[in-house]
Amino acid sequence: MLKQDVRQALIDIMGIPIIQTRTMAGAVNTAYLSAGAGSSVICLHGGGAGAVTWYPVIGPLAQHFRVIAPDIVGYGESDKPDASYDKAYFASWLKQFLDAIGVVKTHIIGLSQGGAIALQFTLDYPEMVDKLVLVNSGGLGAKPPFMSIAGMAWLNTFPSSFANRFYSRYILFKPKNRDPNHGRYSIEVLKSHGGKKASLQGRGAAVSAFSEAALCSIKNQTLVLWGENDRLFPIEVAAKAVAVMPAAKLLRVKDAGHLSMMDQPAVFNRAVLNFLQGKMEH
């Protein structure tokens, strides 16, 4: 299947009307998905694929919020320029994106590398962030096991279905919990023009650890949501981060890996909605 076909297949299973459009975030032509109405929620995917990573989440959240999921610069259908691809670069792009679409304050959900971007953006522009959801987030000091790093490097250097299957065991509790089109789309993005730049030029800078002082300074209500069986970023780093963040809570998701919203979509969506709507379960 072609890249656009597998992307559209993931959009189709969201089960609600999805607006697909583009805007200029500074010099970056940025593609994004949006659905629903009301207060805005920005969904930032991790270091691969694009906005369609949120296919299990956009439908349920859009019943209550205006959900906006961009293809982060360097990924999906957005531009892939030569750049540093570090936290400062991504946070600057996000500010320009939000300015372009007229969002002045928003909830932010960040997955993996997207969590690190969300944290940096909150540090840089605290007045623009309402509540924060960090999903198996980068930037908290995790040291991935060697084989997971090897799998990631293999997939990003020589993208193939074989490399994708190998790496899947490190990001999912059960690889079959992920729609196969997400893996296919990830591969096609990497094979596209410039698709490897974010990985090769960023070299992991976007998920480097924040200082304890930086985490201490984030006063926003924060839900740290983590798959207990994450083989990429161990859950112990989440507990340490929550211990120093003034308004953070940790929710452990059983039988879930790094992509917890794919392993346990019902649990994930209920937890996020309860938190954003002020009905967090204790």
Side-chain angles (χ1 to χ4, degrees), residues 1-10 12 181:
M1 295 174 75
L2 297 174
K3 178 159 68 79
Q4 293 302 326
D5 293 336
V6 292
R7 181 176 185 266
Q8 188 60 48
L10 291 166
D12 290 344
N181 283 320

Side-chain angles (χ1 to χ4, degrees), residues 34-241:
S34 61
S39 302
S40 64
V41 179
I42 304 296
C43 296
L44 301 176
H45 61 80
V52 289
T53 296
W54 297 105
Y55 70 84
V57 176
I58 290 175
L61 258 60
Q63 305 301 318
H64 306 274
F65 296 95
R66 180 190 179 203
V67 182
I68 302 163
D71 284 340
I72 293 170
V73 56
Y75 298 97
E77 307 309 305
S78 292
D79 282 352
K80 302 166 181 64
D82 289 319
S84 57
Y85 291 103
D86 55 12
K87 289 194 282 276
Y89 176 74
F90 283 121
S92 175
W93 161 83
L94 181 56
K95 173 65 163 64
Q96 293 174 315
F97 172 70
L98 294 180
D99 288 348
I101 62 173
V103 171
V104 295
K105 190 165 187 176
T106 183
H107 303 304
I108 301 182
I109 306 174
L111 164 69
S112 191
Q113 180 175 277
I117 297 168
L119 282 165
Q120 185 64 57
F121 184 82
T122 304
L123 290 167
D124 293 346
Y125 307 100
E127 72 285 353
M128 294 186 70
V129 182
D130 193 346
K131 292 182 179 179
L132 194 57
V133 181
L134 303 176
V135 184
N136 297 73
S137 179
L140 302 183
K143 293 180 170 55
F146 172 77
M147 289 305 290
S148 69
I149 295 173
M152 187 189 306
W154 179 17
L155 180 61
N156 281 292
T157 309
F158 303 105
S160 68
S161 57
F162 192 50
N164 178 64
R165 282 197 300 274
F166 178 85
Y167 186 51
S168 289
R169 72 186 74 177
Y170 292 100
I171 56 174
L172 292 139
F173 178 64
K174 291 184 177 177
K176 66 179 177 63
N177 288 336
R178 176 168 66 154
D179 188 289
N181 283 320
H182 183 263
R184 293 177 186 130
Y185 183 67
S186 302
I187 294 165
E188 291 307 313
V189 169
L190 285 165
K191 287 181 175 179
S192 66
H193 180 71
K196 299 174 185 175
K197 286 182 179 179
S199 171
L200 298 179
Q201 296 179 9
R203 298 191 299 278
V207 294
S208 61
F210 288 94
S211 68
E212 186 172 308
L215 295 177
C216 284
S217 73
I218 293 177
K219 306 294 196 296
N220 309 65
Q221 287 189 56
T222 303
L223 174 63
V224 180
L225 200 154
W226 217 275
E228 284 191 337
N229 306 92
D230 190 343
R231 297 179 66 190
L232 196 63
F233 295 169
I235 196 168
E236 289 75 22
V237 301
K240 288 180 180 177

